[in-house]
Amino acid sequence: MGPLFKIAHRDLFSQKRLVSFIIINLTLGFLGLFFLESVKDVVKKQSEQKSKDILGADFAVTARRFLNQEEMATLSKHLHRYKKTQVLELYSMVATEEGESRLTEIKGIDGAYPLYGGLELTSGLFTPENKKTSIGPSEVWISEDLQFALGKNIGDNIKIGTKTFKVTQIILDDSSSSWRGISLAPRLYTRVDDLKESGLVQFGTTMAQSFLYKLDSDESLESLRETVLKELKDPGIRVVTPKQTSQQISRVFRYLSHFLGLTSLVALLMVSLSLIFLFKSLIQKRLTEMAILKSMGMKHSSIRFIYSYQILLLSLISAALSIMLTYLSLPYLIDGLQQFVNLGTSASVDLSRIITQVFFGCVFCYSLTLPWINKVSELKVSGLLQESKFDLSLKQVKWWGFIPAVLSFVALSIWQSQSFKMGFIFSAVFLGAMSISFLIGHFLLRFIARIFTNSKLPFELTLSIKMMTRRKMTTLISLGV
């Protein structure tokens, strides 16, 4: 193998300009793939965080009544080591001293709230990291909608049930209500104990008691949910994780994630088509040397190995450059995108997924050049020595030689979209559209050739049209790129 590696390296070093073009071409393709994968990862994290902010927890247990001792013991058994907060929610009329009233969503919270997300108040943010402001006894925080409806400001009093409360904060934004769309009623917050003392929470009251938990990790969420559901025998008790809390948001982000993943394949495919021409030029310039080596006894498999090694080596070098450029420029890319859309999280590169993409990308690039590698290795010495008669055009390549490239593209589509159905449909539609476009382009070029064959156009233009129409496949691929 040593001499073959030496020959392969010498060929590459002797054609520095062409090799540089191939590396730049592939680097751009991998760079687009890695960039969009990283953005997709940011979008996925944003989706997960939004779901947690809306639910307010990693794990929530909700019932339309107070849980009994047995049910509380079940929760304590499985969730005692996690941080917990209790929330009471109900709808009731809220009145002013002047007799104005309005249906309101009343939310009673304790001192541990919130575990995720938070509120934007007139005095500042109220988040898990910043709890300088807290609800005092007989105090309420009201939303801007409720402030407008009741005409009340900070310092005014409102009546909830049999108890009078003082407005101490106006809620400008609430992460747990964001993305929900239209709400049934404006919201206010008060303490759980004060809500119980208001006289609204009694037998027959329609209310919801929730226990929210913040877990150490998300790995065991689904198994924990199944275990708790089995032991809580009442079907009216809901056990919810961020995955179930906002399916509409998750679906939108999932479709966007699929779109970004599949869009990156288009970039890789486009540069891969130009790779065909560049690699064909690389082969064409070394035909005489291959003929001499074959006449000296080099096997077909050795020639195949040399070119296979070269394309894989160039693909790996390009991938390494792309990974380095991605690490260096991704933070600036995300900062630029923040001007148009709030991604809300820092950018990161998932090295395991990048390595998998490198593997699939290299296999795809190799499979595209495989028909020409096989064609060169199978030619006779007499044909190779007549370089001027040697034809490496697409017409001379058997159609079944592209089957590995098509299969690798389908596999890459399925992996990139994380869905067999989505990946297969995308690859089928894309390859079908490309085939139809090539068919239409083929007839269009024949039509152009027929019109301008005997025309009185300038010689240079006539020659250009003839060269373009005689090499139809090359012209169409060039226009596609």
Side-chain angles (χ1 to χ4, degrees), residues 452 455 457-468:
F452 293 103
S455 62
L457 293 173
F459 172 76
E460 294 82 359
L461 184 58
T462 303
L463 182 62
S464 299
I465 291 174
K466 285 185 177 181
M467 292 179 65
M468 182 179 70

Side-chain angles (χ1 to χ4, degrees), residues 12-82:
L12 293 178
F13 280 114
S14 65
Q15 303 182 75
K16 294 184 178 68
R17 180 176 296 181
L18 185 56
V19 168
S20 298
F21 275 118
I22 294 175
I23 290 176
I24 292 172
N25 177 73
L26 288 177
T27 299
L28 291 174
F30 279 117
L31 197 59
L33 195 66
F34 298 159
F35 267 148
L36 287 173
E37 177 63 28
S38 300
V39 173
K40 187 177 77 170
D41 186 57
V42 171
V43 169
K44 180 181 177 183
K45 289 179 180 178
Q46 177 74 342
S47 169
E48 294 172 351
Q49 188 59 49
K50 281 290 182 185
S51 297
K52 287 182 180 181
D53 289 347
I54 290 172
L55 181 61
D58 293 314
F59 194 89
V61 180
T62 304
R64 304 297 266 174
R65 58 174 176 79
F66 286 106
L67 299 182
N68 58 39
Q69 291 184 351
E70 182 182 352
E71 291 162 344
M72 291 298 297
T74 299
L75 297 185
S76 179
K77 172 184 172 184
H78 296 287
L79 301 162
H80 66 278
R81 63 183 181 276
Y82 303 122

Side-chain angles (χ1 to χ4, degrees), residues 21 28 42 63 69 83 105 108 111 114 130 138-139 149 259 323 374 400 416 450 475:
F21 275 118
L28 291 174
V42 171
Q69 291 184 351
K83 191 172 182 180
E105 179 186 358
N130 181 18
S138 300
E139 293 181 352
F259 171 77
I323 292 174
N374 289 332
W400 56 80
Q416 191 72 3
R450 184 174 297 177
T475 301

Side-chain angles (χ1 to χ4, degrees), residues 264-378:
S264 63
L265 292 184
V266 179
L268 182 63
L269 182 62
M270 290 299 99
V271 298
S272 297
L273 291 177
S274 60
L275 171 67
I276 293 176
F277 294 100
L278 293 171
F279 190 71
K280 191 171 72 170
S281 299
L282 183 70
I283 294 175
Q284 192 83 45
K285 290 185 177 182
R286 309 307 297 176
L287 288 176
T288 303
E289 183 176 338
M290 286 296 117
I292 295 172
L293 291 173
K294 287 197 73 173
S295 66
M296 295 172 63
M298 179 176 282
K299 299 179 180 178
H300 295 308
S301 59
S302 298
I303 294 179
R304 189 179 292 112
F305 173 82
I306 289 173
Y307 286 120
S308 299
Y309 171 73
Q310 285 179 343
I311 191 62
L312 290 175
L313 178 62
L314 294 175
S315 298
L316 288 173
I317 292 173
S318 303
L321 288 173
S322 300
I323 292 174
M324 182 179 66
L325 290 173
T326 301
Y327 268 103
L328 293 174
S329 56
L330 184 60
Y332 302 102
L333 174 68
I334 298 299
D335 288 342
L337 290 176
Q338 293 281 14
Q339 299 176 12
F340 304 99
V341 59
N342 180 23
L343 297 176
T345 185
S346 59
S348 61
V349 178
D350 188 342
L351 193 57
S352 61
R353 285 188 63 83
I354 292 295
I355 291 173
T356 308
Q357 283 183 320
V358 170
F359 171 76
F360 277 117
C362 290
V363 170
F364 179 59
C365 292
Y366 172 69
S367 62
L368 274 177
T369 58
L370 190 58
W372 284 270
I373 294 174
N374 289 332
K375 183 175 176 59
V376 172
S377 63
E378 292 171 0

